[in-house]
Amino acid sequence: MGLDNPLHVALLVILLLLVFGARRLPEIGRSLGSGMREFKDSVTGATPSLTQTTTQQQPAPPVAQPVPQPVAQPVAQPVAQPIGGQAPAQPVAAPVEPAPAPVEPAHQG
């Protein structure tokens, strides 16, 4: 009189569907499964929450990339014509300054 006969299993499933309904049956199965899992873990002494927290690692913070600075180009300034009508022999150009070096982000450690 065990559950080895397929007819007994079918009768048990029909009886469960009539008593609990099709909507509650998956919830009951999930709660029974989690209860059995907790019981097994308590008997073996394993704690899944402790092992899950130690295996998870924090993601590394993103490293800031240096932004390339535009290079200053020399610009010729317009020269006013002297009153006498003669232009100077050399055009006057603005002084050129070197571009600043890129700043590296500070390492946090």
Side-chain angles (χ1 to χ4, degrees), residues 84-105:
Q86 293 178 351
Q90 295 281 336
V92 178
V96 177
E97 295 181 17
V103 178
E104 294 186 20

Side-chain angles (χ1 to χ4, degrees), residues 61-87:
V63 177
Q65 298 293 329
V67 178
Q69 299 292 327
V71 177
Q73 298 293 329
V75 177
Q77 296 179 349
V79 178
Q81 292 289 332
I83 295 177
Q86 293 178 351

Side-chain angles (χ1 to χ4, degrees), residues 20-42:
F20 295 110
R23 292 184 183 169
R24 292 268 306 170
L25 219 51
E27 295 173 17
I28 293 171
R30 273 188 232 110
S31 65
L32 280 174
S34 65
M36 290 173 61
R37 195 172 317 115
E38 287 177 14
F39 178 75
K40 183 187 82 162
D41 289 343
S42 67

